[in-house]
Amino acid sequence: MNFKNSVILLTGASSGIGYQLAKDFAKEGAQLALISRRADLLESLAGEINQNTSVKFYKCDITIKEEVQKTISQIKNDFGKIDIAFLNSGVAYRSSVLDYTSKDAETTFNTNVLGAVYCIEQILPEFISEKRGSIVGVSSLGDGKGFPKSGFYSASKAAFTILLESLRIELKKYNVKVVTVKPGFVKTAMTDKNEFEMPFLMSVEKASKIIIDGLKKDKRIIEFPFGTTVGVKILRIMPTKWFEYLTSKDPKPKKQ
Ligand SMILES: NC(=O)c1ccc[n+]([C@@H]2O[C@H](COP(=O)([O-])OP(=O)(O)OC[C@H]3O[C@@H](n4cnc5c(N)ncnc54)[C@H](OP(=O)(O)O)[C@@H]3O)[C@@H](O)[C@H]2O)c1
């Protein structure tokens, strides 16, 4: 994948992985349409990077279909095209079954699955008719199993991974690329809330570099870090009883 002068629509650019990616894509010479709800954060990020490249920001809640329609149509007007839809926005709640509420499930699925579906709906017809374009979706290594206290999150990422896989196969004949990004633990606002020791916790700078290198190499699936990727693959193939035993223990508390 080539970034020089490409127009990248990037959701979830106000924080964490998306924030770092915006800065790194700008260094690669990409033009950027940054999306999230916190426009003040996008504005200062755009101010920081617009010396190098053309960058605009858009306040948009991706769980509201009409806002997504309006925003993406505005982006097409402003830039004339979209080359890469980088769908990174996401939320995660960790909660025990004692706090089980459909409200958390609605927010999680509306953001992590439907929000991405609304974005794809707006860009797909042009990608298909013009036989070009790339969709990059940020799923998670947490998509592989039902991890305790993260049921809604893991289920939403499993849904997103499967959706991307299906699109990748169907869209190949239209020359539209689909890439799935599956990070392990990356140090962001999302993981700062976790009260347990996170294995192979990685910086956003490193995560962004791995993602960009993977895209340049035209990888279909970019999963990292290696230790977590292998660990999750082992968890997936081990007998259910073992998985339940290992994950039912309380995780090690985070060092202060
Ligand atoms: N950090 C990790 O360890 C890790 C691991 C695996 C996968 N991931 C995935 O990586 C992606 C980025 O996560 P992160 O760690 O960088 O978390 P983060 O720092 O909390 O960033 C999440 C981003 O999503 C945006 N967002 C949330 N709800 C939105 C909505 N309704 N509309 C538009 N934007 C919305 C937020 O922007 P606003 O609040 O301004 O709207 C923010 O920019 C997520 O999809 C996450 O699931 C993260």
Side-chain angles (χ1 to χ4, degrees), residues 213-248:
D213 286 349
L215 294 176
K216 283 182 182 166
K217 287 180 188 150
D218 280 329
K219 287 192 173 177
R220 293 174 172 81
I221 297 179
I222 302 170
E223 43 190 2
F224 60 91
F226 181 73
T228 317
T229 307
V230 172
V232 168
K233 284 192 200 299
I234 293 170
L235 290 175
R236 287 188 82 157
I237 58 167
M238 71 171 45
T240 305
K241 260 191 188 168
W242 295 8
F243 174 73
E244 288 177 3
Y245 171 74
L246 286 175
T247 55
S248 60

Side-chain angles (χ1 to χ4, degrees), residues 12 14-15 17 36-38 61-62 88-89 153 157 184 186 188:
S14 62
S15 162
I17 298 171
S36 89
R37 293 164 302 178
R38 289 171 292 172
D61 182 338
I62 62 159
N88 162 73
S89 283
Y153 183 73
K157 291 300 187 181
V186 180
T188 66

Side-chain angles (χ1 to χ4, degrees), residues 55-186:
V55 49
K56 288 186 181 292
F57 65 94
Y58 305 84
K59 179 179 162 63
C60 170
D61 182 338
I62 62 159
T63 65
I64 303 171
K65 197 174 174 171
E66 295 70 30
E67 275 193 30
V68 173
Q69 271 170 341
K70 226 174 101 192
T71 303
I72 295 188
S73 143
Q74 184 64 49
I75 292 170
K76 287 178 190 168
N77 273 338
D78 290 347
F79 289 89
K81 61 168 185 168
I82 293 167
D83 296 303
I84 301 169
F86 198 109
L87 309 175
N88 162 73
S89 283
V91 290
Y93 298 102
R94 264 180 70 78
S95 58
S96 120
V97 282
L98 302 177
D99 299 316
Y100 194 92
T101 161
S102 58
K103 199 170 171 295
D104 287 351
E106 282 163 8
T107 312
T108 306
F109 280 90
N110 286 344
T111 313
N112 297 1
V113 186
L114 283 173
V117 170
Y118 298 153
C119 293
I120 294 169
E121 183 179 39
Q122 294 308 308
I123 49 123
L124 207 48
E126 269 163 57
F127 276 9
I128 289 176
S129 68
E130 293 170 13
K131 289 201 160 54
R132 53 162 212 97
S134 302
I135 297 167
V136 185
V138 181
S139 182
S140 167
L141 285 176
D143 69 350
K145 289 296 261 181
F147 291 98
K149 298 191 177 171
S150 297
F152 298 144
Y153 183 73
S154 290
S156 74
K157 291 300 187 181
F160 192 32
T161 298
I162 297 292
L163 170 68
L164 291 167
E165 185 170 57
S166 152
L167 285 171
R168 176 159 47 245
I169 300 164
E170 265 198 271
L171 288 172
K172 198 170 176 215
K173 69 171 176 236
Y174 299 104
N175 194 34
V176 178
K177 285 183 193 152
V178 180
V179 181
T180 311
V181 178
K182 301 195 342 170
F185 291 112
V186 180

